[in-house]
Amino acid sequence: MLVARRLTQQDIARMAGVSQATVSLVLNNRKDGNVRIAAETRAQVLEVIRKTGYVANPIARRMRDRHNRILGVFTYEAVFPSTHANFYQSFLEGIEEQAEEVGCDLLLFTSAKATGERRRIFGDDSRVRLADGSLLLGRTVDRDDLTQLLAESIPYVSIGRRDDAGGPVPHVGADYRTAVRDLVDRAVALGHRGFAYVGSGGGAESSADRLRGFREAVAAHGVQGMHVETPQLDQLREAGVTAVLTEEVSDGAALVLAGRERGLSVPGDLAVLSLGAATRSAPDDDVALTGFRIPRREMGRRAVQALTEVLENGTTPQELLPCEFVEGSTLGAPRL
């Protein structure tokens, strides 16, 4: 079912032929001496609002009254330009869309000094307090940063589930456990009984959640399940594995190509399932992997909504969004 996109102030401005700032002034009924809007312009904006049925976001109005309307975005890895750019783009698009919806500007923190290969929020020149609150984006985050943010009551929301860090961490993440269990369920229903999980399965909470979902699923079905960090086709075949789940898209694509080179049928001899989106370059060949889609854009949008809840109510929102099954060409019944 298609859901219509909610109208924004920018939409109203475009239809009325005025600036977004003018729409904002009309909506807030600003008539003081420093703000002058022609009566015709005000009437034009109000007419567009009447025809479209536009309703201003009440959360946005409350934030305008009490905050600077600046939301920070802190990324633990560089996102432009970067090999990760395509992965992070959807998150950033969702963040931008919802920030516009609530009438906030975004401040991208890029001056944080790296410790080793990773950035840190806090340092001699930390500017995190310039924003009303911040969104944290990265495959892994620094535990000390989270602890300090909580200890100093600095509003933030992590994009991605995070374990407690001296207290509950507000986050919006993807429900990887359920998504992985669903893939195993589908493969078992087709007749697969030998499974392997390829990837670290640890470090980042996202990896740990995926591996936990895999182990829960194979245990529930009473089937064989093994965990290896690097994909080796011979090892998997010797162990009787017929279905492989890979954390990295590139590992899944490499297994498909290696199997084809050996004359194996994919998915007849080996089904390959991908557990998300690519974070590093995959083989150039076109491999339509079966797997699931991470709701990255929606996670970005929902994270901004969650941050407004933190700012307005002092709550600690924690939410996992469902992943969408992607029907590629690499899952099928095993050949007997």
Side-chain angles (χ1 to χ4, degrees):
M1 180 179 66
L2 295 177
V3 179
R5 183 176 69 86
R6 179 173 178 171
L7 285 173
T8 66
Q9 287 187 22
Q10 189 174 33
D11 295 324
I12 300 300
R14 185 176 62 254
M15 287 184 277
V18 299
S19 70
Q20 183 175 342
T22 297
V23 174
S24 178
L25 292 172
V26 172
L27 286 169
N28 285 284
N29 199 29
R30 292 283 300 279
K31 298 180 180 179
D32 56 73
N34 295 324
V35 179
R36 291 185 175 86
I37 299 176
E40 292 181 0
T41 301
R42 184 182 297 275
Q44 186 175 348
V45 172
L46 291 173
E47 178 64 13
V48 172
I49 291 173
R50 184 190 68 78
K51 288 182 177 180
T52 60
Y54 173 80
V55 177
N57 190 321
I59 293 179
R61 179 161 293 178
R62 289 199 299 272
M63 288 188 68
R64 282 195 293 269
D65 294 340
R66 297 175 56 187
H67 299 287
N68 295 323
R69 291 185 290 155
I70 297 176
L71 304 182
V73 179
F74 184 90
T75 64
Y76 278 88
E77 297 96 14
V79 291
F80 0 80
S82 163
T83 55
H84 297 301
N86 290 337
F87 181 81
Y88 287 118
Q89 180 177 343
S90 295
F91 289 117
L92 297 170
E93 288 172 351
I95 291 171
E96 182 181 39
E97 289 171 358
Q98 190 60 30
E100 176 192 331
E101 181 71 17
V102 298
C104 289
D105 291 315
L106 295 175
L107 176 60
L108 180 63
F109 293 109
T110 58
S111 63
K113 296 295 187 292
T115 301
E117 296 182 354
R118 295 189 56 73
R119 293 173 174 170
R120 289 288 310 277
I121 293 177
F122 295 99
D124 295 335
D125 195 28
S126 175
R127 299 174 187 173
V128 68
R129 293 175 183 82
L130 291 175
D132 297 325
S134 293
L135 303 167
L136 309 186
L137 183 59
R139 189 169 184 273
T140 59
V141 301
D142 188 278
R143 306 299 302 171
D144 292 337
D145 280 348
L146 296 182
T147 300
Q148 188 167 348
L149 287 166
L150 289 170
E152 297 186 17
S153 299
I154 297 175
Y156 77 98
V157 169
S158 169
I159 299 181
R161 188 190 72 78
R162 305 299 173 195
D163 294 326
D164 287 359
V169 173
H171 62 250
V172 174
D175 190 357
Y176 293 117
R177 290 174 65 183
T178 300
V180 173
R181 290 199 300 263
D182 176 66
L183 291 181
V184 174
D185 290 346
R186 291 173 183 269
V188 168
L190 290 170
H192 290 275
R193 295 296 180 268
F195 290 81
Y197 180 101
V198 174
S200 68
E205 286 89 345
S206 57
S207 293
D209 287 347
R210 287 173 168 92
L211 181 57
R212 187 176 299 114
F214 172 78
R215 286 175 169 162
E216 290 170 352
V218 295
H221 289 290
V223 296
Q224 171 193 346
M226 62 184 294
H227 172 210
V228 296
E229 293 201 19
T230 56
Q232 302 206 4
L233 185 57
D234 290 338
Q235 177 189 14
L236 298 174
R237 295 287 292 165
E238 290 172 3
V241 171
T242 62
V244 182
L245 290 79
T246 66
E247 279 186 13
E248 282 288 342
V249 170
S250 56
D251 288 340
L255 275 174
V256 171
L257 296 178
R260 289 174 179 172
E261 290 176 0
R262 300 277 190 91
L264 298 178
S265 168
V266 178
D269 294 314
L270 187 69
V272 180
L273 308 174
S274 172
L275 307 184
T279 60
R280 62 175 188 248
S281 298
D284 293 334
D285 298 66
D286 183 20
V287 178
L289 291 170
T290 300
F292 58 75
R293 183 186 67 83
I294 302 170
R296 292 175 290 170
R297 193 176 195 130
E298 182 59 28
M299 286 167 65
R301 289 184 63 91
R302 180 60 192 131
V304 174
Q305 294 171 355
L307 184 54
T308 64
E309 293 171 15
V310 172
L311 292 168
E312 289 297 312
N313 305 316
T315 54
T316 306
Q318 294 183 330
E319 183 177 358
L320 297 179
L321 305 182
C323 298
E324 179 185 354
F325 175 69
V326 174
E327 188 167 3
S329 61
T330 56
L331 174 63
R335 292 203 299 197
L336 300 178

